[in-house]
Amino acid sequence: MQKKCRNMCIGVFDSGLGGLHILRSIVRTIPQYDYVYLGDTARAPYGHRSQETIYEYTKQAMDFLFSAGCGMVILACNTASSEALRALQEKFGAKQKILGVLIPAAEEAVQKSKNKRVGIIATTSTVASNKFIRELAKLDPDISVFQQECPLLVPLIEEGEHNSRETETILKKYLAPLLHKKIDTLILGCTHYGILENKIRKIIGPDIAIISEARVVPKKLKIYFEKHSELEKTLRKKSIIHFYSTDGTDSFKILGSKIFGRPIEVKKAILV
Ligand code: DGL
């Protein structure tokens, strides 16, 4: 068990590059802290894997981040949040705090939706877990939820294809059934999809509210620190960010710098 100490970093974990989009927004909102980002690019995508595998991979990632000096970790990956968050929170205990991204997004969607028809796009595992549906139902039992799995989007984004015409065509196909259901709010239930927000907006038009975790999570995290000053005081505030990836290739650095919005240096992480 980790000692309660000071000078701790905030860990941010994603299966790959998509979480950099969330980290970028977090750093813009609360730049004073130190962060450690870990992307498990060697084993991404997680979205089609079994719950046992997602749990095991994510547990290894938590071990790595807590050993690297993190006092808390944000599980930016929706797939890991859906399939492993509860079990990991129990395993790591209250002193090694792990926060997910589903509840903040669900809360925002409930606030925004007027016709109570909410759409979700997510990975196959996140959709199969029905976690979003359960969280939304807890917040408002009258809400109708429509899910759409989008298995091709993460591989396309990880390959740097987010601006391609093929990606747009596939997005149109995925979004059509949700538009047919007359949703007025759309949750981008995967870290990677925030990168496609402009394309999604173009397809769905101006009237559907988009819930992007890149906007919601930093706002909620700031409020969380205001409420949990005992945790906040343990965090180091030197604005240093370390980036780790499990595949050790240059593509994380190149694509990651684009997604993060400034050049990043990446170290290789070995997860056991
Ligand atoms: N980034 C993950 C998420 O938010 C999904 C990517 C993957 O399939 O690995 O769901």
Side-chain angles (χ1 to χ4, degrees):
M1 176 82 57
Q2 192 178 8
K3 292 197 302 265
K4 181 151 178 86
C5 41
R6 298 196 168 255
N7 292 321
M8 306 305 279
C9 307
I10 301 171
V12 177
F13 172 67
D14 187 36
S15 56
L17 288 156
L20 287 170
H21 189 65
I22 296 201
L23 178 62
R24 173 184 175 157
S25 303
I26 293 174
V27 172
R28 279 188 184 161
T29 308
I30 38 176
Q32 64 271 38
Y33 301 109
D34 287 20
Y35 297 89
V36 180
Y37 182 88
L38 171 63
D40 190 8
T41 27
R43 302 187 293 196
Y46 279 16
H48 62 285
R49 297 190 188 276
S50 69
Q51 186 185 15
E52 295 73 40
T53 303
I54 293 167
Y55 173 83
E56 187 52 34
Y57 287 178
T58 312
K59 183 181 83 60
Q60 292 172 4
M62 297 304 102
D63 282 333
F64 177 88
L65 286 168
F66 286 123
S67 307
C70 294
M72 61 173 294
V73 174
I74 298 154
L75 215 51
C77 182
N78 289 259
T79 306
S81 291
S82 298
E83 300 282 38
L85 177 64
R86 282 281 146 74
L88 289 169
Q89 284 173 330
E90 273 167 31
K91 181 178 168 40
F92 283 88
K95 295 230 167 78
Q96 292 175 307
K97 196 99 204 143
I98 306 174
L99 301 177
V101 288
L102 266 61
I103 296 175
E107 286 172 347
E108 190 83 357
V110 168
Q111 271 176 17
K112 284 266 157 67
S113 179
K114 300 215 165 45
N115 74 357
K116 293 184 188 279
R117 298 176 75 77
V118 172
I120 299 164
I121 50 173
T123 65
T124 303
S125 303
T126 302
V127 167
S129 76
N130 285 324
K131 277 279 158 53
F132 265 118
I133 295 191
R134 261 180 257 145
E135 294 303 342
L136 285 159
K138 274 191 227 157
L139 295 165
D140 184 346
D142 294 331
I143 226 147
S144 301
V145 185
F146 307 96
Q147 302 193 98
Q148 174 66 50
E149 59 179 294
C150 306
L152 295 175
L153 295 184
V154 170
L156 282 166
I157 294 165
E158 292 279 330
E159 288 301 321
E161 288 290 326
H162 41 286
N163 282 322
S164 73
R165 191 163 300 174
E166 289 76 11
T167 301
E168 195 167 328
T169 307
I170 288 163
L171 254 182
K172 277 186 188 152
K173 188 172 154 256
Y174 287 147
L175 290 166
L178 298 177
L179 295 177
H180 192 66
K181 296 287 182 192
K182 304 274 178 258
I183 58 163
D184 76 346
T185 303
L186 175 68
I187 298 177
L188 308 186
C190 172
T191 47
H192 291 62
Y193 303 169
I195 297 161
L196 301 173
E197 186 169 349
N198 291 342
K199 278 193 184 308
I200 293 171
R201 172 58 76 207
K202 219 173 101 192
I203 296 166
I204 67 174
D207 298 330
I208 296 175
I210 293 180
I211 308 299
S212 157
E213 288 163 353
R215 280 191 294 279
V216 175
V217 171
K219 198 169 70 179
K220 300 270 185 188
L221 193 57
K222 193 161 179 256
I223 296 168
Y224 182 85
F225 286 150
E226 282 159 13
K227 284 194 189 146
H228 295 85
S229 57
E230 73 298 340
L231 171 66
E232 197 278 338
K233 281 194 204 113
T234 67
L235 299 173
R236 193 164 58 206
K237 299 172 188 74
K238 291 193 170 170
S239 305
I240 297 167
I241 312 175
H242 293 282
F243 298 89
Y244 289 90
S245 118
T246 49
D247 70 354
T249 63
D250 276 350
S251 69
F252 190 100
K253 181 178 160 171
I254 295 162
L255 207 49
S257 298
K258 277 194 199 147
I259 295 170
F260 192 64
R262 62 179 203 235
I264 62 172
E265 287 305 323
V266 185
K267 286 170 268 189
K268 184 173 162 84
I270 295 170
L271 305 189
V272 282

